[in-house]
Tab-separated table of all heavy atoms in Angstrom:
chain	number	residue	atom	x	y	z
A	610	ALA	N	49.057	47.536	-101.449
A	610	ALA	CA	48.105	48.657	-101.225
A	610	ALA	C	47.325	48.268	-99.985
A	610	ALA	O	46.497	49.124	-99.513
A	610	ALA	CB	47.159	48.735	-102.353
A	611	ARG	N	47.488	47.122	-99.341
A	611	ARG	CA	46.731	46.779	-98.194
A	611	ARG	C	47.448	46.740	-96.926
A	611	ARG	O	48.639	46.442	-97.025
A	611	ARG	CB	46.172	45.343	-98.451
A	611	ARG	CG	45.258	44.870	-97.308
A	611	ARG	CD	44.638	43.544	-97.593
A	611	ARG	NE	43.760	43.115	-96.510
A	611	ARG	CZ	43.039	41.969	-96.353
A	611	ARG	NH1	42.983	41.189	-97.376
A	611	ARG	NH2	42.434	41.682	-95.268
A	612	HIS	N	46.776	47.022	-95.788
A	612	HIS	CA	47.447	46.940	-94.503
A	612	HIS	C	46.812	45.869	-93.753
A	612	HIS	O	45.576	45.650	-93.706
A	612	HIS	CB	47.264	48.282	-93.734
A	612	HIS	CG	48.060	49.409	-94.308
A	612	HIS	ND1	49.258	49.740	-93.777
A	612	HIS	CD2	47.972	50.238	-95.393
A	612	HIS	CE1	49.830	50.817	-94.474
A	612	HIS	NE2	49.024	51.035	-95.481
A	613	TRP	N	47.715	45.053	-93.125
A	613	TRP	CA	47.184	43.916	-92.341
A	613	TRP	C	47.452	44.187	-90.857
A	613	TRP	O	48.440	44.749	-90.457
A	613	TRP	CB	47.905	42.650	-92.663
A	613	TRP	CG	47.718	42.204	-94.144
A	613	TRP	CD1	48.303	42.714	-95.179
A	613	TRP	CD2	46.831	41.059	-94.459
A	613	TRP	NE1	47.859	42.002	-96.365
A	613	TRP	CE2	46.988	41.062	-95.902
A	613	TRP	CE3	46.027	40.233	-93.826
A	613	TRP	CZ2	46.246	40.145	-96.610
A	613	TRP	CZ3	45.337	39.372	-94.619
A	613	TRP	CH2	45.440	39.266	-96.006
A	614	ARG	N	46.459	43.921	-90.007
A	614	ARG	CA	46.681	44.083	-88.575
A	614	ARG	C	46.599	42.641	-87.935
A	614	ARG	O	45.719	41.824	-88.179
A	614	ARG	CB	45.520	44.862	-88.056
A	614	ARG	CG	45.467	44.946	-86.460
A	614	ARG	CD	44.593	46.107	-85.989
A	614	ARG	NE	45.237	47.334	-86.295
A	614	ARG	CZ	44.818	48.529	-85.743
A	614	ARG	NH1	43.715	48.520	-84.965
A	614	ARG	NH2	45.396	49.642	-85.979
A	615	VAL	N	47.724	42.401	-87.201
A	615	VAL	CA	47.873	41.000	-86.625
A	615	VAL	C	48.115	41.179	-85.054
A	615	VAL	O	48.860	42.162	-84.680
A	615	VAL	CB	49.200	40.363	-87.169
A	615	VAL	CG1	49.444	38.975	-86.590
A	615	VAL	CG2	49.090	40.119	-88.726
A	616	ALA	N	47.402	40.302	-84.397
A	616	ALA	CA	47.466	40.364	-82.853
A	616	ALA	C	47.850	38.983	-82.397
A	616	ALA	O	47.536	37.990	-83.083
A	616	ALA	CB	46.219	40.686	-82.258
A	617	ALA	N	48.597	38.846	-81.270
A	617	ALA	CA	49.067	37.585	-80.741
A	617	ALA	C	49.217	37.689	-79.205
A	617	ALA	O	49.607	38.731	-78.687
A	617	ALA	CB	50.352	37.168	-81.352
A	618	THR	N	48.740	36.761	-78.530
A	618	THR	CA	48.838	36.643	-77.161
A	618	THR	C	50.181	36.237	-76.700
A	618	THR	O	50.883	35.407	-77.420
A	618	THR	CB	47.771	35.676	-76.448
A	618	THR	OG1	48.006	34.338	-77.050
A	618	THR	CG2	46.348	36.156	-76.733
A	619	ARG	N	50.716	36.672	-75.557
A	619	ARG	CA	52.075	36.382	-75.086
A	619	ARG	C	52.115	35.748	-73.856
A	619	ARG	O	53.259	35.304	-73.425
A	619	ARG	CB	52.860	37.658	-75.055
A	619	ARG	CG	52.888	38.425	-76.341
A	619	ARG	CD	53.707	39.774	-76.160
A	619	ARG	NE	55.160	39.539	-76.202
A	619	ARG	CZ	56.060	40.406	-75.706
A	619	ARG	NH1	55.655	41.597	-75.251
A	619	ARG	NH2	57.317	40.147	-75.809
A	620	SER	N	51.029	35.534	-73.135
A	620	SER	CA	51.012	34.984	-71.839
A	620	SER	C	49.741	34.108	-71.626
A	620	SER	O	48.914	34.157	-72.544
A	620	SER	CB	51.101	36.031	-70.734
A	620	SER	OG	49.901	36.689	-70.537
A	621	SER	N	49.640	33.442	-70.529
A	621	SER	CA	48.422	32.617	-70.277
A	621	SER	C	47.407	33.269	-69.384
A	621	SER	O	46.399	32.758	-68.963
A	621	SER	CB	48.882	31.349	-69.568
A	621	SER	OG	49.563	31.580	-68.405
A	622	TYR	N	47.680	34.611	-69.123
A	622	TYR	CA	46.650	35.331	-68.183
A	622	TYR	C	45.392	35.695	-69.034
A	622	TYR	O	45.561	36.043	-70.223
A	622	TYR	CB	47.392	36.586	-67.684
A	622	TYR	CG	48.427	36.258	-66.557
A	622	TYR	CD1	49.825	36.288	-66.937
A	622	TYR	CD2	48.153	35.851	-65.278
A	622	TYR	CE1	50.789	36.003	-66.093
A	622	TYR	CE2	49.160	35.617	-64.463
A	622	TYR	CZ	50.585	35.595	-64.817
A	622	TYR	OH	51.391	35.325	-63.888
A	623	ALA	N	44.353	35.680	-68.271
A	623	ALA	CA	43.090	36.081	-68.873
A	623	ALA	C	43.091	37.559	-69.184
A	623	ALA	O	43.562	38.404	-68.288
A	623	ALA	CB	41.912	35.642	-67.895
A	624	LEU	N	42.469	37.998	-70.241
A	624	LEU	CA	42.331	39.377	-70.643
A	624	LEU	C	40.952	39.839	-70.482
A	624	LEU	O	39.983	39.031	-70.519
A	624	LEU	CB	42.832	39.447	-72.162
A	624	LEU	CG	44.272	39.126	-72.431
A	624	LEU	CD1	44.478	39.026	-73.920
A	624	LEU	CD2	45.251	40.103	-71.823
A	625	PRO	N	40.787	41.133	-70.195
A	625	PRO	CA	39.384	41.606	-70.008
A	625	PRO	C	38.526	41.232	-71.241
A	625	PRO	O	38.877	41.538	-72.359
A	625	PRO	CB	39.653	43.154	-69.897
A	625	PRO	CG	40.994	43.322	-69.394
A	625	PRO	CD	41.805	42.229	-69.974
A	626	TRP	N	37.407	40.602	-70.904
A	626	TRP	CA	36.583	40.050	-72.038
A	626	TRP	C	36.042	41.085	-73.022
A	626	TRP	O	36.227	40.869	-74.222
A	626	TRP	CB	35.456	39.335	-71.468
A	626	TRP	CG	34.422	38.728	-72.458
A	626	TRP	CD1	33.083	39.110	-72.627
A	626	TRP	CD2	34.662	37.822	-73.468
A	626	TRP	NE1	32.570	38.394	-73.749
A	626	TRP	CE2	33.524	37.610	-74.331
A	626	TRP	CE3	35.827	37.105	-73.905
A	626	TRP	CZ2	33.509	36.809	-75.289
A	626	TRP	CZ3	35.765	36.179	-74.961
A	626	TRP	CH2	34.638	36.138	-75.678
A	627	ALA	N	35.540	42.174	-72.574
A	627	ALA	CA	34.869	43.216	-73.490
A	627	ALA	C	35.978	43.743	-74.395
A	627	ALA	O	35.854	43.883	-75.626
A	627	ALA	CB	34.228	44.214	-72.694
A	628	ALA	N	37.047	44.130	-73.707
A	628	ALA	CA	38.142	44.755	-74.682
A	628	ALA	C	38.839	43.731	-75.464
A	628	ALA	O	39.137	44.076	-76.668
A	628	ALA	CB	39.229	45.313	-73.611
A	629	PHE	N	38.862	42.522	-75.096
A	629	PHE	CA	39.490	41.447	-75.961
A	629	PHE	C	38.586	41.150	-77.150
A	629	PHE	O	39.161	40.951	-78.298
A	629	PHE	CB	39.738	40.187	-75.183
A	629	PHE	CG	40.533	39.100	-75.927
A	629	PHE	CD1	41.830	39.423	-76.322
A	629	PHE	CD2	39.995	37.911	-76.219
A	629	PHE	CE1	42.573	38.393	-77.095
A	629	PHE	CE2	40.629	36.863	-76.903
A	629	PHE	CZ	41.969	37.197	-77.299
A	630	THR	N	37.328	41.004	-76.981
A	630	THR	CA	36.439	40.661	-78.131
A	630	THR	C	36.358	41.909	-79.104
A	630	THR	O	36.291	41.694	-80.274
A	630	THR	CB	34.984	40.472	-77.651
A	630	THR	OG1	34.538	41.487	-76.817
A	630	THR	CG2	34.921	39.068	-76.861
A	631	GLU	N	36.511	43.115	-78.553
A	631	GLU	CA	36.605	44.315	-79.445
A	631	GLU	C	37.852	44.298	-80.222
A	631	GLU	O	37.913	44.544	-81.531
A	631	GLU	CB	36.522	45.550	-78.666
A	631	GLU	CG	36.538	46.813	-79.452
A	631	GLU	CD	35.396	46.968	-80.366
A	631	GLU	OE1	34.306	46.398	-80.020
A	631	GLU	OE2	35.499	47.674	-81.415
A	632	LEU	N	39.025	43.811	-79.606
A	632	LEU	CA	40.284	43.726	-80.337
A	632	LEU	C	40.148	42.579	-81.424
A	632	LEU	O	40.645	42.841	-82.550
A	632	LEU	CB	41.291	43.245	-79.361
A	632	LEU	CG	42.791	42.935	-79.956
A	632	LEU	CD1	43.442	44.218	-80.588
A	632	LEU	CD2	43.661	42.339	-78.985
A	633	CYS	N	39.464	41.494	-81.125
A	633	CYS	CA	39.330	40.468	-82.115
A	633	CYS	C	38.627	40.964	-83.393
A	633	CYS	O	39.087	40.627	-84.511
A	633	CYS	CB	38.538	39.222	-81.558
A	633	CYS	SG	39.328	38.334	-80.292
A	634	ARG	N	37.647	41.736	-83.195
A	634	ARG	CA	36.895	42.309	-84.354
A	634	ARG	C	37.653	43.233	-85.192
A	634	ARG	O	37.341	43.566	-86.326
A	634	ARG	CB	35.603	42.877	-83.987
A	634	ARG	CG	34.527	41.876	-83.431
A	634	ARG	CD	33.209	42.452	-83.255
A	634	ARG	NE	33.122	43.384	-82.185
A	634	ARG	CZ	32.779	43.110	-80.937
A	634	ARG	NH1	32.511	41.833	-80.631
A	634	ARG	NH2	32.772	44.073	-80.015
Side-chain angles (χ1 to χ4, degrees):
R611 180 172 177 181
H612 287 262
W613 296 78
R614 174 165 287 189
V615 181
T618 61
R619 304 178 76 194
S620 73
S621 58
Y622 290 101
L624 299 170
W626 173 244
F629 186 63
T630 53
E631 181 65 26
L632 173 70
C633 290
R634 289 192 294 268

